[in-house]
């Protein structure tokens, strides 16, 4: 069945649909009362393991906001099920067994994600059924470095002392873990595509923890292997590295179909780095949505205009939406982006 709304996938392919497509990182979540109503009944872990509830939550922003793509409701940290490690959300994540020493790294049991993460693939199928081809479904994973940072730190980190300590004091241990993690993530994404996702996003949310030279030496080769692998899966890949706009030139060396741009750089400047032949996604500072409707409208229009210098542009936030956002303002953003881009296409 063809999709009723192809604009997101057209932009991923480098075409320019009639309106700039838009979806919002973390578009399903605590800022929506419908999400909070479900979370008052079930824990986050139960929610992620219930394909029917995942589908319900995945569709909430599609119905309310009118976005052009859905993103699977899950979390980058569920992959630790493949290692037999539990994650508690208290509410920020805490791992049952962080891995900090060479002995702990050697003792890890790397399970097969096709067996251990079947509930995610069931959720993909439930989302596809519920969406009934209205909009495409995006699957995702954390990038190897971001995922490994949780494994080593064991929780959210500010300074990344443990993982950076491992890079600089035990680089072979770090490299071995990155190698295994990358292979796990390749298979995990393959499973999502086999279950039916239409696109993939790789989140390197903590990329900015590293100096550019260290990112290039210790992270980029593994990320390159993951991106190369996803190119063989037959769906477009979005690569989003966050936290240091100086890294954009490095991630732009990788053949991802779409480059995610965080909010720390103006979009026109980012496009000068990526070049006009790349497709970009982003990059409104999510906190702008805490401002007035007039401010949201003017900043959204500026980004739509700047996006015209790229081969194609998918509007998004420059990081996840804040839980303090008024859903009505998020909906206004979607309307403004659609209206502003439709009028600029006709005048082109
Ligand atoms: O209800 C709750 O209390 C749970 C809050 C929550 C939600 C709604 C968590 C815990 N995860 C999610 C969903 C989620 N996480 C999605 C699907 C929903 C959607 O996008 O619509 C996705 C794609 C993620 C991705 C994710 N999880 C990232 C990468 C994106 C980013 O924001 O940089 C990261 C770093 C995580 C880890 C995580 N999971 C949850 C929290 C609170 C965190 C971040 C903690 C931290 O800052 O370290």
């Amino acid at each position: 069945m063809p999709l009723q709304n192809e604009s997101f996938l057209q932009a991923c392919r480098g075409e320019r649909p009639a309106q700039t497509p838009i979806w919002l990182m973390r578009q399903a979540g605590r800022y929506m009362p419908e999400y909070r109503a479900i979370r008052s009944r079930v824990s986050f872990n139960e929610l992620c393991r219930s394909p029917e509830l995942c589908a319900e939550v995945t569709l909430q922003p599609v119905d309310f906001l009118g976005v052009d793509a859905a993103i699977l409701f899950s979390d980058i940290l569920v992959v630790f099920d493949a290692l037999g490690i539990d994650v508690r959300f208290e509410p920020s994540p805490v791992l049952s067994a962080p891995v900090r020493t060479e002995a702990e790294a050697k003792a890890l049991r790397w399970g097969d994600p096709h067996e251990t993460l079947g509930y995610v693939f069931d959720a993909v199928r439930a989302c596809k059924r519920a969406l009934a081809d209205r909009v495409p479904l995006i699957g995702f994973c954390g990038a190897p470095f971001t995922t490994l940072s949780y494994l080593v730190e064991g929780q959210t980190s500010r300074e990344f002392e443990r993982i950076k300590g491992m890079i600089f004091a035990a680089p072979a241990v770090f490299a071995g873990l990155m190698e295994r993690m990358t292979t796990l993530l390749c298979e995990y994404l393959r499973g999502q595509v086999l279950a039916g996702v239409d696109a993939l996003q790789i989140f390197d949310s903590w990329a900015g923890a590293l100096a550019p030279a260290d990112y290039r030496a210790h992270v980029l080769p593994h990320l390159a292997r993951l991106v190369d692998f996803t190119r063989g899966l037959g769906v477009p890949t979005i690569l989003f590295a966050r936290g240091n706009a100086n890294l954009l030139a490095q991630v732009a060396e990788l053949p991802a179909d779409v480059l995610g741009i965080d909010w720390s750089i103006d979009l026109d400047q980012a496009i000068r780095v990526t070049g006009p032949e790349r497709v970009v996604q982003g990059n409104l500072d999510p906190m702008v949505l805490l401002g007035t409707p007039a401010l949201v409208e003017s900043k959204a229009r500026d980004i739509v205009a700047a996006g015209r210098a790229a081969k194609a542009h998918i509007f998004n936030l420059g990081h996840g939406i804040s839980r303090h956002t008024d859903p009505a303002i998020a909906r206004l953003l979607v309307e403004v982006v659609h209206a502003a881009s439709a009028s600029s296409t006709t005048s082109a």
Side-chain angles (χ1 to χ4, degrees), residues 117-277:
L117 290 159
Y119 63 87
V120 177
F121 310 135
D122 289 342
V124 169
R125 285 183 280 266
C127 287
K128 286 294 288 181
R129 270 195 306 275
L131 283 167
D133 296 311
R134 286 167 58 196
V135 292
L137 179 66
I138 304 168
F140 67 91
C141 71
F145 175 70
T146 288
T147 311
L148 199 59
S149 76
Y150 283 98
L151 184 65
V152 175
E153 298 287 339
Q155 59 188 46
T156 302
S157 176
R158 231 173 236 278
E159 301 290 343
F160 297 90
E161 264 181 334
R162 291 190 173 96
I163 184 121
K164 293 175 78 170
M166 184 185 277
I167 291 175
F168 298 122
V173 176
F174 175 82
L177 286 170
M178 285 289 277
E179 187 72 31
R180 297 298 299 264
M181 184 61 77
T182 303
T183 302
L184 171 64
L185 294 170
C186 286
E187 287 310 313
Y188 180 47
L189 290 183
R190 190 212 299 273
Q192 293 185 34
V193 172
L194 289 173
V197 299
D198 301 290
L200 294 168
Q201 176 153 324
I202 299 168
F203 287 91
D204 213 353
S205 301
W206 301 123
L210 293 178
D214 296 315
Y215 193 78
R216 180 178 290 288
H218 298 284
V219 172
L220 202 64
H222 303 279
L223 192 56
R225 180 157 77 87
L226 183 59
V227 171
D228 282 343
F229 180 87
T230 63
R231 281 173 72 78
L233 295 176
V235 302
T237 299
I238 306 163
L239 177 56
F240 174 67
R242 184 181 74 88
N244 182 349
N246 285 318
L247 296 174
L248 185 56
Q250 287 186 41
V251 297
E253 292 169 17
L254 306 184
D257 300 275
V258 181
L259 297 168
I261 312 294
D262 76 11
W263 54 264
S264 69
I265 180 170
D266 289 335
L267 190 59
D268 56 352
Q269 200 191 331
I271 295 168
R272 280 200 289 278
V273 175
T274 64
E277 285 309 309

Side-chain angles (χ1 to χ4, degrees), residues 72 75 186:
L72 171 69
D75 195 81
C186 286

Side-chain angles (χ1 to χ4, degrees), residues 5-9 11-12 17-25 27 61-62 65-71 135-136 138 238 280-284 289 296 300-301 303-304 313-318 321 329-341:
N5 177 349
E6 280 267 346
S7 62
F8 166 79
L9 290 176
C12 289
Q19 296 180 331
T20 299
I22 171 170
W23 67 280
L24 306 179
M25 286 191 275
Q27 64 190 12
V62 177
L65 302 178
V67 284
D68 300 298
I71 180 160
V135 292
I138 304 168
I238 306 163
V280 293
Q281 172 179 285
N283 76 340
L284 183 71
L289 297 182
V296 169
R301 284 180 177 279
I303 289 175
V304 167
H313 175 216
I314 298 162
F315 199 104
N316 206 317
L317 303 176
I321 193 167
I329 280 270
R331 179 156 69 180
L332 172 79
L333 172 68
V334 174
E335 286 166 10
V336 165
V337 168
H338 283 157
S341 56

